[in-house]
Amino acid sequence: MDNKLHRIKVTELQDRVVSADEAASWIKDGMTLGLSGFTRAGDAKAIPYALVRRAETEQFKVNVFTGASLGSDVDKLMAEAGIVHKRLPFQADPAMRRKINNGDIMFVDHHLSQTAEWIRAGVIEPIDFAVIEALEITEDGMIIPTTSVGNSSVFVKHAKNVIIEINLSQPELFRGVHDIYEPGKQGQRSPIPLTGVNDRIGTIGIPVDLEKVKGIVFTDQADSPSTILPSDEETETMAGHLLDFLRAEVASGRLTNQLAPLQSGIGSVANAVLHGLVDSEFHDMEVYSEVLQDAVFDLIDAGKVKVASASSITLSKEKMAQVFGDFEKYRDKILLRPQEITNHPGLIRRLGLISINTALEFDIYGNVNSTHVSGTRMMNGIGGSGDFARNARLSIFVTKSIAKEGIISSVVPFVSHVDHTEHDVDIVVTEQGYADLRGLAPRERVPVIIENCVHPMYREQMRAYYAEALLRGGQTPHVLEKAFSWHANLATNGSMLLSE
Amino acid sequence: MDNKLHRIKVTELQDRVVSADEAASWIKDGMTLGLSGFTRAGDAKAIPYALVRRAETEQFKVNVFTGASLGSDVDKLMAEAGIVHKRLPFQADPAMRRKINNGDIMFVDHHLSQTAEWIRAGVIEPIDFAVIEALEITEDGMIIPTTSVGNSSVFVKHAKNVIIEINLSQPELFRGVHDIYEPGKQGQRSPIPLTGVNDRIGTIGIPVDLEKVKGIVFTDQADSPSTILPSDEETETMAGHLLDFLRAEVASGRLTNQLAPLQSGIGSVANAVLHGLVDSEFHDMEVYSEVLQDAVFDLIDAGKVKVASASSITLSKEKMAQVFGDFEKYRDKILLRPQEITNHPGLIRRLGLISINTALEFDIYGNVNSTHVSGTRMMNGIGGSGDFARNARLSIFVTKSIAKEGIISSVVPFVSHVDHTEHDVDIVVTEQGYADLRGLAPRERVPVIIENCVHPMYREQMRAYYAEALLRGGQTPHVLEKAFSWHANLATNGSMLLSE
């Protein structure tokens, strides 16, 4: 018997091992796939690759639903092969982004906590094949996921068929780290019993109806590492402003030095800001996030974070070698959950998270654009930022005040796309400073944002816009016909700086 | 002993009865008030009136926090007297609106479920005086509210002082209808145990620290009735489209003829749409809303609705006489709760509500403006629409396709203010038809909205905008410099119809 078959502990499933090409051949034009994978972690790899190979000689398209973004170039290769019709709820690949912005791929940009509800209720296309990366199949018929959970459990429960990719290169010590909980149908559910970050409320694996397991494929390809950039002077300055804000909250008595469970979005800026806590006075912190990046493990190593819950672990190459190579050390401090639990509005509010996410741009009233360059071209998607921002104790957005050496101001009169409204944004931070918008009327927000967050090269221009808007009056003064003039000037003249 | 003193069942409190003018004299310039009142129901009346009288001879300003809008001209009189500095979280009075739009009153437009969190956490100004309308004070020291709960319980718990207005004209049968639940501090809470619309999870009154009860005032002024308009042909047509949509959901197996707990926003359109269910095949329905308007009692009378939970009851003059005059009939079918429970994101999602709210305008991608006329002038505020829309099973927005005999199209290229993003809007309905946006990418949404919802007089103009936008490409095609041209044309030429 092949040695790796011990990963399939249900004996009757052992003869369902097939090649990736054979499994991929079952997937037909027009079908809908539910792929494991969340922020480059734990993605199904072999079947998507086999589909891309098949596309060399055959025309077909499938809908691709996932947890969040995929790694291992899966989105890139599928996009380039032209086999994706609809994609949801999040992606972060440049090649796929181009196809989306050309209108070749229909991208449904969805709150990460909500896709599970759509699948459970039968709102979107039913899943023909769930393709799930796993460490093993247990004796009692549970799929043990790898480095992410994402939407895998809801895909498995509702798919007509399941294909399992057992990845031999993933760290076996992840067994026991997962906590799989299924809320049940809306209207028939009990309260989700989680009241603390480290509460275990579910099972260590995903229960699967064995009848539905159509095939099992063995793979050994590691997750692709994250590509986050190291801190730079500006991200460190932003981290400093954020620490100042948190210290003010402690001084006011609203927080203690243990803070509150932290959520930090994907990306370099959020990672750098979180890293800024390593040398701070804050201690015994908890992380309740959707993804754990390098900084969380630095905080654990520094003895600052005692427990971290998320839906995936996404690390740089060096950090991955260190953390996965010595995982026994981290094992009892980590929980991986379905994304509808990590991002659940009720739990975010119950725990009272401090939520830190990245903005593409924000405006003088505190509306945030997280997704669309100049209001039209998709970057990655809203991801979980809406789940967190709406319900967090503190909803914080960070961005550098300018981009591309100043031709773009990240603070604008009117954001060109709204992902987070004025009602959902508490604090905005740039390298210039932070603006605390809580309890401020729109007219009170403007001067704080201009003086604390706008880059000096754009301040005068912003004051002029607002002065003109004030002549028009209103709760939220605007000069509508000039609201997007900065974006229009960027398109026409290559800069948001208006000439006199 | 004065006969009405039997309403104060804690004997030691009976000598705290004072005149409204005396109680109002304790309120000083710069203080913050927490007033009972939610959508014209159960508002504190005597103390605000006394403050307005005091303003004839004295200059002062206070912050006014409430549940939602006030009736009895309280907001009007306070605004005209110039005594309001900051107002939150919602209002609906024309005189106050003018002051807000002039910048004379700082209005913080806040999700109705969230103000309680701000007060509990000490984020906004602490409440100096809670002024709460009541039926009575019980033997065990609880305030029994009247026709609304709103934020009264969190005001009472956190205020430095409490003034109680015992209103002898409110129906005494309301005793026992309230269900007061306090979630506790974020990070230290248990799951809220409510799993069904008619679950009782709290107490029948608001516990109050007797030390804080500074004064008690007797009043006998009835709530002011609602001013909703009767159904017209267009609202009936919209109700018909909504019924068609619900029938399609039943046909698909996603709903049964019992539907799911219904939420309906304040206002004539939402009331008319709900009224459309009276003669439908749907039965044994439940209502889990923030306010109960006339239509809910019509549905109860018709045997269609078996239980209704909300934070207030707001009725027309005729309906008020009928319902309050015969309240024994309705008593066991009604629960009144704090607004953070009626509007709680976790509960809305758990129960899987069908949420129906009114839009001022929406755009071709499904973004909704609920608050700002032409992006600048506040109407009423976001109210609870965001609480419901984000977390409901079905998030539905309704509006007539045109306003003011066609000079305004309610469907526009780009909404002039975003309260609900494309991520939070499932269905839009006008008298033209409905568009089901679930699972659609932005480019798929546009034709459905144009053909099903836009008024014929604006369709060609909208198709032209979108055709030009498509040339620019992107996930969400726009011609940014023309995105607000319809609004600009309205301001300049008196119509959104562009001349050739």
Side-chain angles (χ1 to χ4, degrees), chain A residues 195-269:
Chain A
T195 58
V197 171
N198 58 353
D199 282 1
R200 178 168 281 286
I201 60 173
T203 54
I204 64 159
I206 301 168
V208 58
D209 174 357
L210 299 183
E211 296 288 306
K212 296 202 300 192
V213 179
K214 191 95 193 271
I216 299 169
V217 173
F218 281 98
T219 73
D220 60 1
Q221 182 177 334
D223 284 344
S224 46
S226 73
T227 52
I228 53 171
L229 303 167
S231 298
D232 59 25
E233 193 183 323
E234 283 175 340
T235 55
E236 282 170 20
T237 306
M238 287 158 70
H241 294 317
L242 187 72
L243 287 176
D244 288 346
F245 166 73
L246 293 173
R247 285 180 185 123
E249 288 297 288
V250 172
S252 77
R254 286 192 286 262
L255 288 175
T256 70
N257 272 343
Q258 291 183 256
L259 299 178
L262 295 164
Q263 177 266 330
S264 167
I266 190 83
S268 304
V269 174

Side-chain angles (χ1 to χ4, degrees), chain B residues 351-423:
Chain B
L351 297 173
L353 301 197
I354 298 173
S355 168
I356 306 162
N357 289 287
T358 307
L360 268 185
E361 60 180 7
F362 62 87
D363 68 27
I364 48 172
Y365 296 110
N367 300 283
V368 168
N369 174 9
S370 300
T371 56
H372 284 69
V373 176
S374 282
T376 56
R377 297 195 308 286
M378 173 58 57
M379 277 292 292
N380 303 332
I382 191 169
S385 57
D387 294 321
F388 291 105
R390 170 68 61 87
N391 294 293
R393 175 199 308 252
L394 288 170
S395 162
I396 302 168
F397 283 90
V398 297
T399 182
K400 295 184 184 181
S401 70
I402 52 172
K404 300 199 175 170
E405 283 151 11
I407 65 165
I408 293 171
S409 172
S410 305
V411 195
V412 292
F414 197 123
V415 285
S416 59
H417 187 89
V418 180
D419 293 294
H420 310 289
T421 72
E422 47 155 336
H423 314 284

Side-chain angles (χ1 to χ4, degrees), chain B residues 227-236 268-269 271-272 294 400:
Chain B
T227 51
I228 52 170
L229 303 168
S231 297
D232 58 26
E233 194 184 324
E234 283 176 342
T235 55
E236 281 169 21
S268 304
V269 175
N271 188 63
D294 287 18
K400 295 184 184 181

Side-chain angles (χ1 to χ4, degrees), chain A residues 108-370:
Chain A
V108 181
D109 186 20
H110 202 211
H111 297 299
L112 293 190
S113 81
Q114 296 190 347
T115 309
E117 302 287 10
W118 270 0
I119 290 167
R120 192 176 288 120
V123 170
I124 47 175
E125 293 82 353
I127 308 286
D128 294 293
F129 279 91
V131 186
I132 307 297
E133 187 178 88
L135 283 176
E136 67 170 55
I137 303 165
T138 64
E139 293 84 347
D140 48 351
M142 291 200 298
I143 298 168
I144 306 294
T146 61
T147 45
S148 73
V149 177
N151 280 318
S152 293
S153 49
V154 76
F155 288 155
V156 167
K157 188 173 168 80
H158 295 275
K160 296 173 197 155
N161 307 283
V162 177
I163 299 171
I164 299 167
E165 294 191 2
I166 296 182
N167 188 334
L168 301 171
S169 84
Q170 292 282 26
E172 283 196 78
L173 278 172
F174 267 61
R175 192 184 194 286
V177 161
H178 311 92
D179 186 40
I180 309 298
Y181 181 87
E182 157 65 36
K185 282 191 179 179
Q186 285 183 313
Q188 299 170 20
R189 347 190 127 139
S190 301
I192 300 172
L194 187 148
T195 58
V197 171
N198 58 353
D199 282 1
R200 178 168 281 286
I201 60 173
T203 54
I204 64 159
I206 301 168
V208 58
D209 174 357
L210 299 183
E211 296 288 306
K212 296 202 300 192
V213 179
K214 191 95 193 271
I216 299 169
V217 173
F218 281 98
T219 73
D220 60 1
Q221 182 177 334
D223 284 344
S224 46
S226 73
T227 52
I228 53 171
L229 303 167
S231 298
D232 59 25
E233 193 183 323
E234 283 175 340
T235 55
E236 282 170 20
T237 306
M238 287 158 70
H241 294 317
L242 187 72
L243 287 176
D244 288 346
F245 166 73
L246 293 173
R247 285 180 185 123
E249 288 297 288
V250 172
S252 77
R254 286 192 286 262
L255 288 175
T256 70
N257 272 343
Q258 291 183 256
L259 299 178
L262 295 164
Q263 177 266 330
S264 167
I266 190 83
S268 304
V269 174
N271 188 64
V273 166
L274 212 55
H275 190 85
L277 292 167
V278 169
D279 294 320
S280 73
E281 69 275 34
F282 302 112
H283 58 84
D284 291 306
M285 290 180 284
E286 299 178 317
V287 172
Y288 193 85
S289 198
E290 56 187 19
V291 51
L292 306 180
Q293 296 188 100
D294 287 18
V296 171
F297 291 89
D298 296 334
L299 286 164
I300 292 175
D301 288 344
K304 291 291 192 182
V305 160
K306 55 184 185 177
V307 58
S309 162
S311 200
S312 77
I313 297 180
T314 303
L315 302 174
S316 66
K317 193 171 173 196
E318 301 67 37
K319 204 72 189 174
M320 200 189 282
Q322 183 236 308
V323 168
F324 291 179
D326 194 16
F327 198 68
E328 194 61 67
K329 178 175 157 191
Y330 300 101
R331 219 170 161 274
D332 64 342
K333 298 183 179 67
I334 305 287
L335 287 111
L336 292 183
R337 310 179 189 274
Q339 68 198 73
E340 72 173 321
I341 301 299
T342 57
N343 289 34
H344 194 284
L347 300 180
I348 292 163
R349 182 137 162 190
R350 189 184 297 163
L351 297 172
L353 301 196
I354 298 173
S355 169
I356 306 162
N357 289 287
T358 307
L360 267 185
E361 60 180 9
F362 62 86
D363 68 27
I364 49 173
Y365 296 109
N367 299 283
V368 168
N369 173 8
S370 300

